[in-house]
């Protein structure tokens, strides 16, 4: 830390700092909480940020900061205002850091201004103002605010009342011992995998241990995010780990339960895969709806207005959060039922609970979409196209087919294709080549559905229909085959494909776009994989080769997707994505 005599001296000192370092300017008259400065000056997610009396810039914003500082120095020295003459700047914008923040924004550099709530951050101009500011600062417990703000603002009932009251203190304990969120995230994964291993023993003692360990894993899962918010240790690697490990833990636990059930003489692999398929389809409904509407123009709806009114009534907020069976409630239910009942009952409860939650959330989204007056943007249409995961076959059809007109044409065509494919897998004789014909129809209709930009009121349903078409087809064909271990192999294949789809979501959320087209082409797109599985079922009828083929396909998809995903998420271009508002 160095003290500058004036703004010109500050520019000289900043220019001498090595280019790869973050820099900060703090007015020497600053009065406020340490955590206010921490929020304004240490959050790694923003190129530039400010609180009253302080400003920071990451290396990528250093050049703009120096230019703004020099312009500000020249303007102040010349007696000219930094802001437009017809504006009345806020008092904090009259400080050197405040003036520079305004100048940065005028140049086009985004400057984050974190919400401080009850925290104090100000630059008093006289003794009276300083006394008032110091009194306000001393009247608020900085550490208590920091602990409260470590908890996610919108969490489920179980997490809020059964986990967060003590997990925030675990997060503080970790911070004071130098542990990182990534280390806690990894510990959560390891604990969940041990829980899955305990469930796989198929014994009552193993099931009890699995339930307890699953809850411990969830406590650690809450702790890692609270630790990140408490210590402001956000990172792209942490974002990737947090975004993927929750799904890996849950689906690994499903597999452990299925293995344990088989050891006890009850084959529930179909139920395990069904639970995973239903959960993944639920998520893509949420993702698609949010991407279609988050930047829509004139985005109003009577249904949304009613929802906002309900949010003003305390008990309805918690009831609605519990109805959707978020991760806290879901894991608590799984843990308790694992310890007390059987894997079959666990999966029955999961399927019923997730189905009811899916009906509730999807119905609400349909009502909002039908009553909403909104114009979707090109960015939203592209996000939906990326979430559709169309491969070369569907893209080829879309390139030569005329775009089908009509407000609800795209989702209707996608639904028709999905029903044709799933219906053929369910009702045609297993191994029939008519199933392959149905797959060809599915490919054709998939291409027609995406031949026009997805800007219709219900076009966000297209990706969920495609997910259901692919996942359910794989499940049904594996379940109907006589090939040994075909369903576990299908579980592995759906897991690999689902990882690719979740990876796509988090890249889009981070503003970096979907995975590269070569990756989508290599793994075939949803329609290519669906058609391939249909062909394999027809060619390898009643043969163990079907299991081998599914396993090989799962391994190939997993290798390609994971290698490219890891390469991206550890690169400098990866975004910092955090589920601050997601209940998962």
């Amino acid at each position: 830390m160095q003290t500058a005599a004036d703004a010109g001296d500050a520019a000289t000192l900043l220019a001498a700092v090595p280019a790869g370092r973050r820099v900060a300017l703090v007015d020497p008259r600053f009065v406020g909480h340490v955590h206010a400065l921490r929020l304004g000056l240490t959050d790694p997610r923003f190129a530039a940020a400010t609180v009253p009396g302080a400003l920071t810039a990451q290396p990528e914003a250093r050049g703009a900061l120096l230019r703004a500082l020099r312009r500000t120095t020249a303007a102040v020295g010349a007696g000219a205002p930094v802001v437009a003459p017809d504006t009345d700047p806020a008092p904090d914008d009259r400080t050197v850091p405040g003036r520079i923040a305004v100048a940065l924004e005028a140049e086009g550099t985004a400057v984050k201004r974190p919400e401080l709530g009850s925290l104090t951050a100000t630059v008093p101009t006289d003794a009276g103002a300083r006394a008032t500011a110091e009194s306000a600062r001393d009247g608020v417990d900085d550490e208590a605010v920091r602990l409260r703000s470590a908890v996610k603002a919108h969490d489920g009932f179980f997490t809020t009342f059964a986990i967060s009251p003590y997990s925030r203190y675990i997060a503080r304990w970790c911070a004071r011992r130098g542990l990182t969120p990534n280390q806690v995230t990894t510990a959560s994964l390891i604990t969940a995998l041990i829980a899955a291993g305990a469930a796989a023993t198929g014994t009552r003692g193993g099931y009890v241990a699995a339930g307890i360990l699953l809850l411990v894993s969830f406590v650690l899962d809450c702790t890692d995010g609270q630790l990140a918010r408490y210590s402001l240790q956000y990172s792209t690697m942490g974002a990737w780990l947090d975004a993927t490990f929750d799904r890996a833990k849950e689906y690994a636990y499903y597999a452990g339960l299925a293995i344990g059930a088989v050891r006890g003489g009850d084959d529930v692999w179909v139920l395990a895969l069904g639970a995973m398929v239903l959960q993944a389809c639920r998520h893509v409904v949420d993702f698609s709806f949010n991407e279609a509407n988050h930047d829509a123009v004139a985005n109003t709806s009577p249904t949304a207005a009613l929802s906002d009114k309900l949010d003003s009534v305390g008990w309805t907020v918690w009831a609605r959060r519990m109805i959707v069976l978020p991760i806290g409630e879901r894991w608590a239910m799984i843990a308790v039922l694992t310890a007390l009942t059987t894997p079959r009952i666990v999966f029955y409860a999961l399927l019923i609970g997730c189905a009811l939650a899916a009906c509730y959330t999807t119905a609400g989204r349909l009502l909002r979409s039908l009553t909403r007056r909104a114009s979707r943007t090109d960015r939203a249409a592209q996000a939906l196209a990326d979430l559709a995961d169309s491969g070369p076959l569907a893209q080829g059809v879309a390139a030569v087919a005329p775009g089908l007109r009509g407000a609800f044409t795209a989702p209707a065509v996608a639904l028709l294709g999905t029903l044709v494919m799933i219906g053929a897998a369910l009702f045609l004789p297993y191994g029939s080549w008519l199933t392959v014909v149905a797959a060809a129809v599915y490919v054709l209709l998939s291409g027609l559905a995406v031949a026009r930009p997805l800007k219709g009121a219900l076009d966000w349903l297209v990706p969920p229909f495609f997910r259901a078409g692919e996942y359910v087809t794989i499940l049904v064909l594996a379940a109907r085959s006589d090939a040994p271990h075909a369903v576990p192999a299908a579980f592995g294949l759906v897991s690999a494909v689902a990882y690719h789809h979740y990876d796509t979501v988090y890249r889009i959320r981070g503003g970096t776009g979907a995975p590269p087209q070569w990756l989508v082409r290599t793994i075939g797109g949803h329609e290519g994989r669906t058609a391939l599985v249909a062909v394999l079922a027809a060619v390898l009828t009643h043969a163990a080769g079907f299991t081998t083929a599914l396993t090989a396909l799962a391994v190939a998809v997993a290798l390609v997707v994971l290698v490219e995903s890891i390469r991206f998420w550890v690169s400098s271009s990866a975004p910092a994505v955090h589920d601050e508002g997601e209940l998962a």
Side-chain angles (χ1 to χ4, degrees):
M1 184 175 69
Q2 300 186 59
T3 302
D6 52 35
D9 187 30
T12 302
L13 292 174
L14 288 176
V17 177
R21 294 184 182 177
R22 173 202 289 269
V23 295
L25 284 172
V26 181
D27 194 296
R29 300 167 296 171
F30 175 86
V31 174
H33 290 98
V34 173
H35 192 52
L37 280 179
R38 189 182 289 114
L39 289 172
L41 303 182
T42 65
D43 195 324
R45 294 174 295 175
F46 310 108
T50 186
V51 294
L55 172 73
T56 186
Q58 297 270 40
E60 60 266 30
R62 284 273 303 276
L65 171 64
L66 283 173
R67 291 192 299 273
L69 179 56
R70 288 171 180 141
R71 287 198 309 273
T72 301
T73 303
V76 171
V82 179
V83 294
D86 60 342
T87 64
D88 182 17
D92 292 314
D93 285 346
R94 296 192 180 106
T95 66
V96 171
R99 290 174 181 270
I100 296 170
V102 172
L104 281 172
E105 291 173 322
E107 185 181 301
T109 300
V111 180
K112 175 65 176 180
R113 300 174 186 267
E115 293 289 337
L116 298 181
S118 59
L119 296 176
T120 296
T122 187
V123 178
T125 55
D126 55 47
R130 173 170 288 275
T132 301
E134 290 176 346
S135 176
R137 178 195 62 193
D138 296 340
V140 174
D141 186 340
D142 180 86
E143 180 61 17
V145 172
R146 188 181 181 189
L147 271 174
R148 285 198 305 270
S149 61
V151 177
K152 187 186 292 186
H154 302 288
D155 242 331
F157 182 88
F158 178 77
T159 304
T160 299
F161 294 103
I163 305 296
S164 293
Y166 58 87
S167 62
R168 69 183 75 180
Y169 295 101
I170 300 175
R172 182 171 66 181
W173 183 90
C174 293
R176 291 177 175 176
R177 283 151 184 81
L179 297 177
T180 67
N182 291 354
Q183 291 170 333
V184 178
T185 301
T186 303
S188 176
L189 174 66
I190 293 172
T191 304
L193 293 179
I194 295 173
T201 63
T203 64
R204 178 51 52 195
Y207 289 149
V208 172
I212 294 172
L213 287 171
L214 187 64
L215 288 177
V216 172
S217 175
F218 183 65
V219 172
L220 293 174
D221 183 56
C222 295
T223 300
D224 65 359
Q226 291 166 357
L227 174 58
R229 287 182 287 273
Y230 181 85
S231 57
L232 297 178
Q233 296 184 72
Y234 300 108
S235 68
T236 54
M237 175 63 77
W240 176 65
L241 294 177
D242 189 57
T244 57
F245 278 13
D246 279 352
R247 303 289 84 76
K249 288 182 288 189
E250 188 167 2
Y251 299 155
Y253 192 82
Y254 291 177
L257 281 175
I259 293 171
V262 170
R263 287 185 171 180
D266 186 15
D267 190 342
V268 296
W269 271 108
V270 170
L271 297 178
L273 180 50
M276 183 171 70
V277 167
L278 180 55
Q279 188 64 15
C281 289
R282 275 188 64 200
H283 282 152
V284 78
V285 167
D286 296 339
F287 297 146
S288 295
F289 179 81
N290 290 336
E291 288 303 323
N293 291 285
H294 89 281
D295 59 352
V297 180
N299 201 3
T300 60
S301 161
T303 308
L306 174 61
S307 178
D308 292 339
K309 288 182 179 179
L310 289 175
D311 282 341
S312 65
V313 183
W315 70 269
T316 65
V317 174
W318 295 117
R320 294 167 70 205
R321 290 185 188 179
M322 294 174 69
I323 287 173
V324 300
L325 203 65
I327 188 169
E329 278 75 1
R330 193 166 67 250
W331 282 28
M333 180 184 73
I334 294 171
V336 171
L337 291 179
T338 298
L340 300 180
T341 64
T342 66
R344 179 172 290 273
I345 293 176
V346 172
F347 288 123
Y348 281 154
L350 263 175
L351 288 167
I352 294 171
C354 288
L356 292 174
C359 291
Y360 170 77
T361 56
T362 304
R365 284 160 170 71
L366 285 170
L367 285 173
R368 290 191 182 198
S369 298
L370 293 172
T371 60
R372 175 172 278 153
R373 297 179 180 178
S375 299
R376 272 119 188 134
T377 63
D378 291 337
R379 180 223 177 266
Q382 183 58 53
L384 291 179
D386 292 334
L387 290 173
D389 193 32
S390 300
L393 297 177
Q395 290 176 0
V397 172
V400 300
L404 298 176
R405 298 183 179 276
F408 309 118
T409 301
V413 171
L415 176 60
L416 178 61
T418 296
L419 293 177
V420 168
M421 188 67 253
I422 295 176
L426 274 172
F427 301 114
L428 290 176
Y430 177 79
S432 169
W433 282 95
L434 288 177
T435 305
V436 178
V437 173
V441 173
Y442 177 72
V443 169
L444 175 63
L445 294 176
S446 297
L448 292 176
V450 297
R452 290 174 60 84
L454 298 176
K455 292 186 175 182
L458 297 180
D459 284 0
W460 57 270
L461 286 169
V462 171
F465 286 151
F466 288 162
R467 292 299 79 75
E470 178 180 5
Y471 295 168
V472 175
T473 297
I474 295 172
L475 165 62
V476 171
L477 290 178
R480 294 189 65 198
S481 74
D482 290 333
H485 310 301
V487 179
F491 189 97
L493 175 57
V494 173
S495 298
V497 175
Y499 175 87
H500 163 62
H501 291 144
Y502 283 112
D503 186 53
T504 301
V505 166
Y506 284 99
R507 294 199 200 194
I508 293 172
R509 283 185 172 182
T512 59
Q517 272 298 302
W518 70 260
L519 175 68
V520 178
R521 289 194 296 268
T522 300
I523 61 176
H526 72 93
E527 80 290 349
R529 292 186 297 270
T530 304
L532 177 58
V533 172
V535 170
L536 292 174
V539 172
L540 303 172
T541 306
H542 304 302
F546 185 54
T547 299
T548 303
L550 287 179
T551 303
L553 182 57
V555 171
V557 171
L559 283 176
V560 173
V561 167
L562 282 173
V563 168
E564 198 283 329
S565 177
I566 293 171
R567 180 210 60 78
F568 171 78
W569 284 102
V570 301
S571 70
S572 59
S573 60
V577 181
H578 299 274
D579 285 335
E580 295 300 326
E582 292 296 328
L583 299 178

